[in-house]
């Protein structure tokens, strides 16, 4: 049977109607998360959390004396717990909502306790819940980095309150300015994964902590060598691995940019580790495993703001310079006179600053057309913006950290007593010892025996001092 002329276009119309209908309705259709991007960002989130627990915890724990190793571990552990809840309550909302203010100083509370965030909520191509968790891991590790500036001498209760207040008054505003659509973002600042937000802010906070609390008892005349370099190297390796989630994950998608950040991160890290090692070898006569591990971390820090904006060749330069200048900065602290116990200032503060400025020098749209060109690609304005962003971060971090510490010191006291410090924070703050060889130990920490052990330890400390 022949098909009449009018029936052919009618049939075609029925077949094509869903296509045209979908095309016209697409703008109003709710966004759907991409499964590949979601799987990658969940993995990246786990990697970044792995950086804090156990990566940073072991890296720092190995650098302190054996009587303080547990204090570092519990500080990293509980900061993770406290900031996780703080991020859920108000941190995420204050960072990633616009707050209804045109100035872009701070976000609002419309997403407090994840109000309005459902299973169907999407940010970019991933569920908003996954984006929330990914950004939470950055909020967790930043105050944990600051521990290095006051290690071995701050009261545990003060550590917890400081971490809460600092996260709200320093980290959250800076993160909003840079990543949450705030005023620095509107100026065009480039901070791919947190050189400014995480490392510069943590570095200046650690410096303030070191100065306000003062030096450890006996520093610098008493040797305070790391008690377990294997801990530190293992933690450094975990940081290297976890950092791929930090940087490659910041593409927020499983795409070519994530792969590119993967390459630049590893390249800069390798260059920095070697640069630190060879600089130390030339100046001291021998390379050290601590130097190699520290150099790797310096490279990771420096490439963080640049990873998604620069070429692999530029990442070599960024890493190599970071290895040299961070090594130099760490060696200057004794001459300047501050006791940054675990070199947060020299590695994270200096490395993060260099990385942020290097982004303004080496960035190119050939790598990321959503970014901008830097000085070497004909745009000196970008370097000026980077300098300004670092400057305001240093100022806010310095002022607010000082205020927080002074208030806490007046209200509850920051530093443990001299006797408790000499006995060690593990015993005096947590009633535990890290190493009980042979199933026993020098002290019993149960019941009334603990008080007796503490008195004996404090007597020894007084006699030694």
């Amino acid at each position: 049977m022949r098909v009449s002329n009018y029936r052919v276009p009618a049939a075609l119309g029925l077949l094509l109607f869903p296509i045209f209908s979908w095309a016209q309705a697409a703008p109003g259709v709710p966004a759907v998360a991409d499964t590949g991007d979601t799987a990658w960002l969940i993995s990246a989130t786990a990697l970044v959390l792995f950086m804090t627990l156990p990566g940073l915890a072991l890296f720092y724990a190995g650098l302190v004396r054996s009587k303080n190793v547990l204090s570092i571990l519990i500080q990293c552990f509980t900061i993770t717990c406290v900031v996780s809840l703080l991020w859920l309550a108000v941190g995420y909302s204050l960072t990633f909502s616009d707050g209804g203010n045109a100035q872009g100083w701070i976000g609002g509370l419309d997403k407090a306790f994840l109000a309005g965030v459902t299973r169907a909520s999407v940010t970019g191509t991933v569920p908003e819940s996954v984006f929330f968790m990914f950004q939470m891991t950055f909020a967790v590790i930043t105050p944990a980095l600051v521990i290095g500036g006051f290690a071995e001498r701050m009261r545990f209760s003060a550590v917890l309150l400081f971490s809460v207040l600092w996260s709200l008054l320093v980290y959250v505003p800076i993160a909003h300015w840079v990543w949450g659509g705030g005023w620095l973002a509107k100026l065009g600042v480039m901070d791919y994964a947190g050189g400014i937000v995480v490392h510069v802010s943590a570095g200046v906070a650690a410096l303030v902590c070191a100065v306000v609390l003062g030096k450890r008892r006996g520093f610098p005349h008493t040797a305070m060598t790391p008690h377990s370099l294997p801990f530190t190297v293992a933690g450094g390796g975990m940081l290297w691995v976890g950092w791929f989630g930090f940087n490659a994950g910041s593409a927020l998608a499983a795409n070519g940019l994530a792969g590119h950040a993967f390459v630049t991160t590893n390249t800069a890290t390798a260059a920095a580790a070697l640069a630190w090692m060879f600089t130390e070898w030339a100046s001291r006569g021998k390379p050290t495993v601590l130097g190699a591990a520290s150099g790797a971390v310096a490279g990771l820090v420096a490439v963080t703001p640049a990873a998604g904006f620069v070429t692999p060749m530029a990442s070599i330069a960024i890493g190599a310079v970071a290895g040299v200048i961070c090594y130099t900065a760490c060696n200057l602290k004794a001459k300047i006179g501050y006791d940054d116990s675990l070199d947060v200032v020299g590695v994270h503060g200096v490395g993060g600053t260099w990385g942020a400025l290097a982004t303004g020098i080496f960035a190119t749209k050939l790598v990321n057309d959503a970014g901008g060109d830097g000085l070497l690609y004909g745009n000196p304005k970008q370097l000026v913006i980077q300098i300004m962003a670092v400057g305001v971060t240093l100022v806010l971090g310095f002022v607010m950290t000082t205020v927080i510490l002074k208030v806490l010191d007046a209200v509850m006291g920051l530093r443990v007593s001299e006797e408790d410090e000499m006995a060690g924070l593990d015993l005096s703050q947590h009633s535990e010892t890290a190493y009980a060889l042979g199933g026993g130990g020098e002290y019993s920490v149960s019941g009334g025996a603990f008080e007796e052990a503490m008195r004996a330890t404090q007597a020894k400390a007084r006699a030694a001092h």
Side-chain angles (χ1 to χ4, degrees):
M1 182 178 67
R2 290 175 49 184
V3 179
S4 64
N5 290 338
Y6 76 86
R7 290 180 181 176
V8 173
L12 289 174
L14 288 173
L15 290 172
L16 294 175
F17 175 76
I19 298 176
F20 290 115
S21 176
W22 177 87
Q24 293 173 1
V29 173
V32 177
D34 179 85
T35 55
D37 293 347
T38 301
W40 162 235
L41 200 61
I42 290 174
S43 301
T45 300
L47 285 170
V48 182
L49 185 60
F50 182 74
M51 289 170 61
T52 303
L53 297 175
L56 182 67
L58 285 176
F59 187 84
Y60 276 179
L63 292 173
V64 298
R65 291 166 288 179
S66 59
K67 63 184 179 180
N68 295 310
V69 57
L70 294 180
S71 72
I72 294 295
L73 295 176
I74 193 173
Q75 286 170 17
C76 286
F77 203 92
T78 53
I79 284 174
T80 300
C81 298
V82 168
V83 176
S84 293
L85 297 178
L86 184 67
W87 191 248
L88 173 71
V90 295
Y92 175 69
S93 186
L94 289 172
T95 302
F96 288 103
S97 63
D98 60 22
N101 65 86
Q103 293 76 26
W105 292 109
I106 196 66
L109 294 174
D110 51 302
K111 291 189 177 182
F113 294 98
L114 290 184
V117 177
T118 68
R119 289 175 56 188
S121 301
V122 175
T123 298
T125 59
V126 300
E128 188 171 4
S129 58
V130 177
F131 178 76
F132 162 85
M133 285 294 296
F134 181 67
Q135 295 297 339
M136 184 202 74
T137 59
F138 286 71
V140 163
I141 199 171
T142 310
L145 290 172
V146 183
I147 289 172
F150 55 71
E152 303 192 294
R153 56 200 188 273
M154 186 185 276
R155 296 175 59 194
F156 182 63
S157 55
V159 171
L160 294 182
L161 282 175
F162 170 79
S163 298
V164 169
L165 294 173
W166 189 87
S167 295
L168 284 175
L169 299 177
V170 180
Y171 179 83
V172 165
I174 295 172
H176 178 72
W177 296 350
V178 176
W179 292 335
W183 67 279
L184 284 176
K186 294 173 182 176
L187 286 177
V189 68
M190 297 170 66
D191 188 6
Y192 185 74
I196 297 169
V197 176
V198 175
H199 299 291
V200 174
S201 66
V204 68
L207 177 61
V208 174
C209 287
V211 172
V212 172
L213 268 79
K215 303 173 185 177
R216 289 168 289 177
R217 308 291 178 187
F219 182 89
H221 308 294
T222 301
M224 298 181 181
T225 55
H227 93 282
S228 178
L229 285 178
F231 269 23
T232 296
V233 175
M238 292 173 187
L239 286 171
W240 191 332
V241 172
W243 223 286
F244 293 127
F246 207 72
N247 287 359
S250 290
L252 302 179
N255 57 19
L257 185 59
H260 183 88
F262 212 117
V263 172
T264 54
T265 298
N266 194 73
T267 303
T269 304
L274 292 174
W276 185 304
M277 185 183 75
F278 285 120
T279 303
E280 182 181 43
W281 201 342
S283 62
R284 295 187 175 180
K286 293 182 180 179
T288 66
V289 66
L290 177 58
S294 299
V297 175
L300 290 164
V301 169
V303 77
T304 290
F309 299 123
V310 303
T311 66
M313 291 303 295
S315 72
I316 295 177
I318 292 172
V321 172
V324 175
I325 64 173
C326 290
Y327 169 80
T328 304
C330 289
N331 284 296
L332 284 175
K333 71 176 183 179
K335 296 180 180 180
I336 298 174
Y338 66 93
D339 183 13
D340 172 21
S341 311
L342 308 183
D343 289 322
V344 187
V345 179
V347 174
H348 296 274
V350 173
T353 297
W354 158 240
L357 301 184
T359 303
I361 297 172
F362 295 106
T364 170
K365 288 186 177 181
L366 298 174
V367 169
N368 186 347
D369 55 11
D373 289 326
L375 176 65
L376 294 183
Y377 292 85
N379 182 23
K381 180 182 177 181
Q382 188 62 53
L383 180 58
V384 174
I385 294 172
Q386 300 297 113
I387 293 172
M388 183 177 67
V390 169
V392 297
T393 299
L394 291 173
V395 171
L396 178 74
F398 180 86
V399 172
M400 293 310 302
T401 304
T402 301
V403 170
I404 293 168
L405 290 174
K406 292 295 185 181
V407 170
L408 289 179
D409 194 28
V411 172
M412 63 186 301
L414 290 173
R415 188 162 179 161
V416 299
S417 68
E418 180 177 353
E419 292 178 345
D420 285 352
E421 185 176 338
M422 297 301 289
L425 271 60
D426 292 357
L427 196 60
S428 65
Q429 295 291 291
H430 307 291
S431 301
E432 295 175 299
T433 55
Y435 303 104
L437 301 179
E442 183 179 354
Y443 306 117
S444 169
V445 291
S446 60
F450 171 67
E451 284 75 17
E452 182 179 348
M454 275 297 299
R455 285 193 293 272
T457 304
Q458 290 170 349
K460 288 182 181 180
R462 284 192 295 271
H465 189 65

